[in-house]
Amino acid sequence: MPVPAHFAEVAARVRNWGRWGATDQLGTLNLIDQAARKRGAAAVRSGKSFSLGLPLSEAEGIQVGFVAGRVNPTRTMIAVNGPLSPDPEWICASEDVVTLALQCATHWDALAHCSYGGVIYNGYPASSVDEDGAHLCGIHQLDTVVGRGVLLDVARAQGLDVLEPGHAITPDELDAACALGGLVIEPGDIVLVRTGQMVHLAGPDRDLIAYTWPTPGLTIETAEWFFDHDVAAVATDTLICEVYPSQHHDIAPPPHHVATPVGWFDLPVHLLHLVEMGLTQGQNWVLDELAADCADDGQYDFLLDATPLPFTNGLGSPLNPVALK
């Protein structure tokens, strides 16, 4: 099926297939070399730390059926003060198990998460993903994701607490956020883009539908910006990462708690990032507290540890990223 001409032009320009060899499965994370990690370590000045992950909780979950089968975490006790010694009052242990979708909360997408035209990143066949998961480009390939993180506070750079619903972020707005933070993007940096969308999850009046639809986000044009700056990975404080409704589809908003089919081309930025560029992307990152501190002290870079859980053949991974300033 043909793709829109503008998308095809951008895809050809940003394609990284073969850049790191015919057998590469890391994509732009190859850009996090020793120099990039040392640059991250050098960004630690005050010792302040910030957790950027959502709670892994059924009660506080953010899934409302937008993607069929992507369930919130459920935790079940399998032992409650179970005796581990002949005297049941001496040594006991409690344990639990969790069921969750790997992309249900704060997470990275694996490069194998999306395909089109029958291929995933680096030209590997989409059939490399089967009932056993991703045999190529799975999340387990990301053994460490540690380097310099930079916060691009697009909302604050526009003088806003939160971008308008459905706002399409432009490269110029990314440049403005860099200017706000006094940032020069270096090869291998991990870019965190703040839209302010997490405001809908704050407090007792949290509104999951407002958080989910419509949502501000990244655009086809910003993919070229990330390519030109040799960004290693990008994450946002939104459910979908890219602007939604997308730039190439006008579809009705999903009803409450009902899965809505996503058309094959509703997520063009996913296809550019994951398939063409090999750019690891993340969603649902909690950036407001970090952003407030950055605005207060003027430091918008930090050491970021965003290493995923090594789920073999996984298509994504929940994580609790930590920024250290």
Side-chain angles (χ1 to χ4, degrees), residues 150-161 173-174 176-178 180-181 183 192-196 237 287-288 290-292 294-295 300:
V150 295
L151 177 69
L152 300 192
D153 194 342
V154 175
R156 188 172 262 106
Q158 300 300 310
L160 300 171
D161 293 326
E173 289 171 339
L174 297 181
C178 285
L180 172 72
L183 293 168
L192 310 183
V193 178
R194 178 180 175 269
T195 70
D237 58 349
L287 302 178
D288 288 349
L290 173 63
C294 292
Y300 282 77

Side-chain angles (χ1 to χ4, degrees), residues 62 66 162-169 193-201 207-219 236-247 249 251 253-254 266-267 269-270 282-285:
I62 60 172
F66 188 72
V162 57
L163 297 179
E164 290 294 321
H167 177 86
I169 295 172
V193 178
R194 178 180 175 269
T195 70
Q197 187 75 352
M198 279 285 165
V199 67
H200 299 298
L201 300 183
D207 187 341
L208 290 178
I209 299 302
Y211 178 68
T212 301
W213 177 284
T215 178
L218 301 174
T219 55
T236 71
D237 58 349
T238 69
L239 183 74
I240 302 175
C241 189
E242 61 190 271
V243 62
Y244 210 78
S246 79
Q247 292 169 274
H249 252 285
I251 59 177
D266 285 335
L267 301 173
V269 178
H270 277 64
Q283 293 92 35
N284 306 310
W285 289 45

Side-chain angles (χ1 to χ4, degrees), residues 14-30:
V14 303
R15 179 173 290 179
N16 278 323
W17 296 5
R19 179 176 175 181
W20 295 284
T23 61
D24 177 57
Q25 299 183 55
L26 289 180
T28 53
L29 288 178
N30 283 289

Side-chain angles (χ1 to χ4, degrees), residues 9-265:
E9 292 169 3
V10 175
R13 170 164 154 65
V14 303
R15 179 173 290 179
N16 278 323
W17 296 5
R19 179 176 175 181
W20 295 284
T23 61
D24 177 57
Q25 299 183 55
L26 289 180
T28 53
L29 288 178
N30 283 289
L31 294 164
I32 304 180
D33 56 14
Q34 292 180 349
R37 295 187 188 97
K38 289 171 65 177
R39 202 165 57 246
V44 179
R45 302 178 180 94
S46 66
K48 291 181 287 188
S49 63
F50 299 86
S51 167
L52 310 181
L54 286 170
L56 289 173
S57 160
E58 184 173 19
E60 299 171 274
I62 60 172
Q63 299 302 319
V64 293
F66 188 72
V67 178
R70 188 177 287 184
V71 296
N72 288 312
T74 55
R75 188 182 57 79
T76 305
M77 299 299 296
I78 58 172
V80 178
N81 294 318
L84 296 179
S85 65
D87 182 351
E89 296 183 357
W90 176 228
I91 300 175
C92 299
S94 299
E95 295 189 19
D96 42 12
V97 296
V98 173
T99 300
L100 79 167
L102 295 187
Q103 292 153 318
C104 68
T106 306
H107 68 273
W108 285 127
D109 287 337
L111 296 185
H113 173 52
C114 287
S115 68
Y116 79 105
V119 295
I120 60 173
Y121 167 67
N122 221 14
Y124 293 122
S127 59
S128 60
V129 181
D130 61 19
E131 291 79 3
D132 294 320
H135 297 278
L136 295 168
C137 298
I139 201 68
H140 63 287
Q141 299 291 338
L142 284 57
D143 55 354
T144 61
V145 181
V146 180
R148 187 174 86 134
V150 295
L151 177 69
L152 300 192
D153 194 342
V154 175
R156 188 172 262 106
Q158 300 300 310
L160 300 171
D161 293 326
V162 57
L163 297 179
E164 290 294 321
H167 177 86
I169 295 172
T170 68
D172 286 346
E173 289 171 339
L174 297 181
D175 286 334
C178 285
L180 172 72
L183 293 168
V184 175
I185 306 300
E186 302 282 353
D189 283 348
I190 304 167
V191 172
L192 310 183
V193 178
R194 178 180 175 269
T195 70
Q197 187 75 352
M198 279 285 165
V199 67
H200 299 298
L201 300 183
D205 298 324
R206 67 198 303 260
D207 187 341
L208 290 178
I209 299 302
Y211 178 68
T212 301
W213 177 284
T215 178
L218 301 174
T219 55
I220 290 172
E221 293 74 26
T222 59
E224 295 187 89
W225 193 95
F226 296 127
F227 178 84
D228 290 339
H229 287 82
D230 269 339
V231 168
V234 61
T236 71
D237 58 349
T238 69
L239 183 74
I240 302 175
C241 189
E242 61 190 271
V243 62
Y244 210 78
S246 79
Q247 292 169 274
H248 284 297
H249 252 285
D250 181 17
I251 59 177
H256 293 250
H257 308 289
V258 175
T260 297
V262 176
W264 85 273
F265 206 71

